Amino acid sequence: MLEPAYQVDVVVVGAGIAGLSAAHRLTSAGVTTTVLEAAPCAGGRMATEKVDGFRLDRVGQVLSTSCPELRLSPGLGSLVLRRFAPGVLLHRDGRVHRAGAPAGVRSARGALHAVRALASAPRSAAVPPGRAGTPVGGAVDRARLGAALGRIAATPVERLLSRPELPAAQALAARGVPARTIDGFLRPLLAALLCDPELSTSSRCADLALRSFASGRLCVPEGGAEALPELLARALPPGTVRTGVRVTSVSANSVTTAEHGEIRCRGVVLATDARAAAELLPGLRVPDFHAVTVVHHTTDDPAVALSTGTSLLLDADRGGPVAHTAVLSNVDPSRAPAGRTLISSTVLGTPPDGVDTAVRRHLSRLYGTSTRRWETLAVHHTPEAVPAMRPPHDLRRPVRLLAGLYVCGDHRDTSSVQGALHSAHRAASAVLTDLGAGDSLPTAPTAAGLPRAA
């Protein structure tokens, strides 16, 4: 019997959310697909560590309910998103203020009314008495901020992308945004959304992040970040994902692995992080990265659970290493055992020596309570957590390198979950076009002898 010319239609290298999403679209179209992952489990940077009943994200990116790919990506239909309270809490000048247009505001006039109503409303029960203040600046600042968020929520994406591109800080200043609004609200907010407290990110990417914030609600996946790759992997045919397999070289019609030799195929989708992709395909651009450290604590102090409710708390003073923090068990109770509190805090950039001590000291000021009795659950440092998007930034880097060879991931789009999923969509569409979408694809046996996912 003649050996088949290929063993599988497409090999996807990398089982992060980009690779898994691309594999789902391909298998749904009848293309036999194998996903190879060097790590012991799928998920990539969207990993969640389990410690004594707690679910602790390693990177902990904040999502938005307005991200289209979270709603439209096949395999994520049962994803549950746990929402933060509307807007954000800002710690500024020793006080806590609520800021940000409420969810659902779609126009400048609606935003202006909403912000005026917010300014005159009673204090939120989520903010301790004596600590609540007014939103950013005075009434004029609040009106301008609300109107700007409303306008950007209603602005088509194409119009945002046609604006001149500058570093975000320069673009905001050039638009006449007051420095107190930039430093008091936009900088800490964009730091939480983009992991870039210096606002060196492309102004177009910053506008997209602000549009997403103004159009929806900040949120996290129920059960931890790993919920996304778990759902995508579960939706694939059994045996599609093979873990513990190191790919050493790729071409348009084969991949070579350290453990199992060559696998012949009709196309290869490289869905690793940017650095690993460049090692397999020299010449691919490797961007700079933003480092992220997430510190997880727990405490039995009931006042902490009540201090911020389900809000995301940002530090506008930049008075310590913590960029933002939240009582995450309030937002998603599944992340902590019953009766326990999970506080997750994010440090951007290079963490200081003795990061846990510095974070505790900072959190004591942010939450207005002693943190000496808090228990540290984990400290996760990821040096290359988020690809930097400095201008000029190509929001749609090519995913088709040549017929049979494709690349996807957040480094080919925006540095976000949305970008990773969208690049996977583009790569899968390119593969199907090259293989002949709608044609009858011959069935090939899946690659044999490879370990299945745990």
Side-chain angles (χ1 to χ4, degrees):
M1 182 178 295
L2 293 178
E3 189 175 19
Y6 59 92
Q7 295 161 276
V8 66
D9 286 321
V10 176
V11 173
V12 176
V13 182
I17 58 171
L20 294 170
S21 180
H24 192 286
R25 292 180 181 275
L26 293 171
T27 58
S28 297
V31 177
T32 58
T33 305
T34 290
V35 182
L36 304 181
E37 170 58 51
C41 58
R45 281 167 286 162
M46 298 208 72
T48 302
E49 183 183 11
K50 299 174 181 66
V51 176
D52 297 333
F54 292 93
R55 293 174 174 266
L56 314 175
D57 285 352
R58 298 194 66 85
V59 176
Q61 282 183 287
V62 178
L63 310 180
S64 173
T65 57
S66 64
C67 290
E69 292 293 340
L70 290 176
R71 303 190 306 271
L72 302 177
S73 290
L76 294 181
S78 59
L79 177 67
V80 178
L81 297 175
R82 292 290 185 174
R83 303 182 178 193
F84 288 93
V88 292
L89 291 180
L90 292 167
H91 188 274
R92 189 180 188 193
D93 299 329
R95 306 179 70 187
V96 174
H97 314 275
R98 184 171 295 281
V105 173
R106 297 285 180 177
S107 68
R109 180 175 297 178
L112 181 57
H113 290 325
V115 171
R116 285 175 175 169
L118 180 62
S120 61
R123 290 170 176 161
S124 168
V127 183
R131 299 184 65 200
T134 58
V136 177
V140 174
D141 285 345
R142 298 197 302 272
R144 286 175 175 170
L145 175 61
L149 288 172
R151 282 195 300 271
I152 203 166
T155 301
V157 170
E158 294 75 14
R159 188 179 302 173
L160 293 180
L161 298 182
S162 68
R163 289 178 172 180
E165 188 180 23
L166 292 168
Q170 293 182 27
L172 292 170
R175 295 171 193 168
V177 181
R180 60 184 176 273
T181 302
I182 295 175
D183 292 330
F185 175 67
L186 293 175
R187 187 184 300 277
L189 175 63
L190 288 171
L193 301 178
L194 302 171
C195 300
D196 176 22
E198 304 308 319
L199 298 187
S200 61
T201 294
S202 161
S203 55
R204 294 173 181 173
C205 299
D207 285 343
L208 291 176
L210 289 174
R211 185 182 189 276
S212 180
F213 170 78
S215 302
R217 287 268 288 278
L218 299 181
C219 61
V220 291
E222 184 180 73
E226 69 176 10
L228 273 79
E230 280 186 349
L231 285 173
L232 291 169
R234 196 179 305 152
L236 292 170
T240 299
V241 180
R242 315 299 179 96
T243 58
V245 180
R246 294 171 296 155
V247 173
T248 58
S249 66
V250 298
S251 69
N253 54 20
S254 70
V255 300
T256 303
T257 69
E259 293 80 7
H260 307 284
E262 184 184 40
I263 302 173
R264 295 176 301 280
C265 56
R266 302 171 66 190
V268 175
V269 177
L270 199 55
T272 64
D273 61 73
R275 192 171 300 281
E279 290 174 357
L280 289 171
L281 288 177
L284 284 183
R285 171 181 170 270
V286 180
D288 293 331
F289 294 89
H290 298 302
V292 173
T293 304
V294 183
V295 185
H296 300 281
H297 293 101
T298 185
T299 177
D300 57 3
D301 183 355
V304 174
L306 298 174
S307 60
T308 57
T310 58
S311 296
L312 186 67
L313 175 60
L314 315 181
D315 180 31
D317 290 330
R318 306 179 80 178
V322 176
H324 56 273
T325 181
V327 182
L328 212 50
S329 52
N330 287 350
V331 182
D332 178 10
S334 72
R335 296 191 181 218
R340 302 294 299 276
T341 300
L342 172 62
I343 304 101
S344 297
S345 309
T346 297
V347 176
L348 301 177
T350 303
D353 293 335
V355 60
D356 185 45
T357 300
V359 165
R360 283 173 180 267
R361 189 180 301 119
H362 194 186
L363 292 178
S364 179
R365 295 196 299 273
L366 294 178
Y367 285 98
T369 187
S370 173
T371 59
R372 286 180 296 178
R373 295 181 56 200
W374 291 19
E375 177 188 350
T376 303
L377 296 169
V379 178
H380 294 142
H381 177 60
T382 307
E384 298 185 349
V386 179
M389 298 184 289
R390 298 188 181 97
H393 180 74
D394 187 352
L395 287 162
R396 298 292 181 266
R397 295 186 68 80
V399 293
R400 182 186 186 274
L401 304 182
L402 51 89
L405 193 57
Y406 315 84
V407 60
C408 64
D410 59 0
H411 52 96
R412 310 305 291 183
D413 211 280
T414 58
S415 302
S416 62
V417 170
Q418 163 76 12
L421 293 172
H422 189 256
S423 73
H425 188 172
R426 293 193 291 132
S429 297
V431 172
L432 294 176
T433 297
D434 287 346
L435 290 184
D439 295 346
S440 178
L441 293 170
T443 301
T446 58
L450 300 180
R452 293 172 179 257

